Amino acid sequence: MRYSLSSQFRGTLLGAMLGEKVSKQVPSQTAKCLIPAMYSLIELGRFEPQHWQEKLSVASISEIAPTIATLPLALFYHENELKLKQNLSASAGIWQNEPIVRESILSVGYATSQVLSKIKPAQLVPHILSLMETPQTELAYKLQQVQELCSQGASLERTLTQVTTKEALTTSIALGFYCFLSSQEDFSLTVKRAQHLQNPLASAIAGALSGAYNSAMSIPSSWQAALTIEQNSAEKEVLQLSDSLVAVWSGVYDYEVHPAELVTKTVVAAPRVIRWR
């Protein structure tokens, strides 16, 4: 493992928030989408749709909520494909199980978990398609296009022309994947490339995947400082909760035992250690 899991968790969440922020140049809504799922997972130590939905009510108004709000699930269950699929699928019920929303949640969730597991980027799209319930959809076709375009070294302009359709959600996801896969080793380049799209969801996805792959260590300190400059910002709260999420995942922190003491120290578990869920 190149980076600690705690740094990858932070990188994913920072990347999503920074990606959206540079795209919109306004206060990020991503943090508000992430916080409910993080609190729910930390408090219960598992995913419970009803408990999460009660906390999600404010964040659900965001257009990027379904895909981004489920990122903490992808982090928490990244090492267990079966539980990941079950919980991501269950989360789609909050949005009435709309097929396209369900597919977007699954594709980005699978991608995040696989990047954390250090799959080779060239194998990412084929592996995701093998996990999809219906691999013949518009999103699947666009992801295949992205795979081919990246292998050809296609420009952003060419990719934008080929994958853009009237279906905005699938287009955003495909472009987010492209920005990551075309500059996978360079977080700054990924985010700057996504910035040209002026597409908050695509930028958030690109930032999250690059942050998961390259970890928080790859994100310029000045960018991180600018994001959390406000003392009581939602972004700062997300980063504090990130450490607690790692601690709960590793089994060293139980909210029921210490409800007032959210963990702020980094905790990393050894691989293949049995963890309580």
Side-chain angles (χ1 to χ4, degrees), residues 25-224:
Q25 295 298 324
V26 297
S28 172
Q29 295 299 309
T30 295
K32 294 179 181 179
C33 292
L34 293 168
I35 288 172
M38 297 180 77
Y39 266 118
S40 183
L41 289 167
I42 290 167
E43 290 177 11
L44 300 180
R46 64 187 184 280
F47 175 61
E48 290 289 349
Q50 185 174 356
H51 186 267
W52 180 37
Q53 189 171 9
E54 291 171 358
K55 294 180 175 294
L56 188 65
S57 57
V58 175
S60 62
I61 61 174
S62 171
E63 61 181 5
I64 69 173
T67 309
I68 299 303
T70 49
L71 281 176
L73 284 178
L75 297 176
F76 198 72
Y77 292 103
H78 74 275
E79 87 289 11
N80 189 321
E81 278 191 3
L82 178 59
K83 284 190 175 182
L84 177 64
K85 182 176 182 178
Q86 290 174 343
N87 288 304
L88 288 176
S89 296
S91 72
I94 295 174
W95 288 275
Q96 289 75 50
N97 273 314
E98 292 185 29
I100 193 167
V101 172
R102 178 187 180 89
E103 193 177 35
S104 72
I105 290 172
L106 289 172
S107 61
V108 175
Y110 287 154
T112 304
S113 70
Q114 291 304 309
V115 169
L116 286 174
S117 301
K118 291 304 175 190
I119 191 173
K120 293 181 179 179
Q123 300 172 352
L124 182 62
V125 169
H127 188 70
I128 291 172
L129 294 178
S130 72
L131 295 173
M132 298 291 284
E133 297 171 342
T134 51
Q136 303 301 321
T137 62
E138 181 176 345
L139 177 58
Y141 175 68
K142 287 183 178 180
L143 291 179
Q144 289 173 331
Q145 282 185 300
V146 166
Q147 177 83 356
E148 294 173 5
L149 289 164
C150 287
S151 67
Q152 297 167 8
S155 66
L156 177 61
E157 290 73 17
R158 179 185 168 192
T159 302
L160 191 60
T161 299
Q162 291 197 212
V163 304
T164 300
T165 64
K166 293 181 180 179
E167 178 43 63
L169 182 55
T170 57
T171 297
S172 296
I173 293 171
L175 291 173
F177 272 72
Y178 167 80
C179 289
F180 165 60
L181 292 173
S182 61
S183 52
Q184 59 207 32
E185 300 289 343
D186 191 329
F187 178 87
S188 298
L189 180 57
T190 294
V191 171
K192 289 177 180 178
R193 178 168 287 170
Q195 184 177 8
H196 292 293
L197 299 171
Q198 293 298 299
N199 183 320
L201 179 55
S203 297
I205 291 171
L209 293 177
S210 186
Y213 185 74
N214 295 297
S215 86
M217 295 176 62
S218 69
I219 302 175
S221 57
S222 58
W223 291 16
Q224 297 189 42

Side-chain angles (χ1 to χ4, degrees), residues 6 10 240 242-244 246-247 252 262-268:
S6 58
R10 274 181 164 250
Q240 292 171 341
S242 175
D243 292 335
S244 297
V246 176
V252 302
L262 287 178
V263 175
T264 57
K265 295 182 179 179
T266 299
V267 180
V268 181

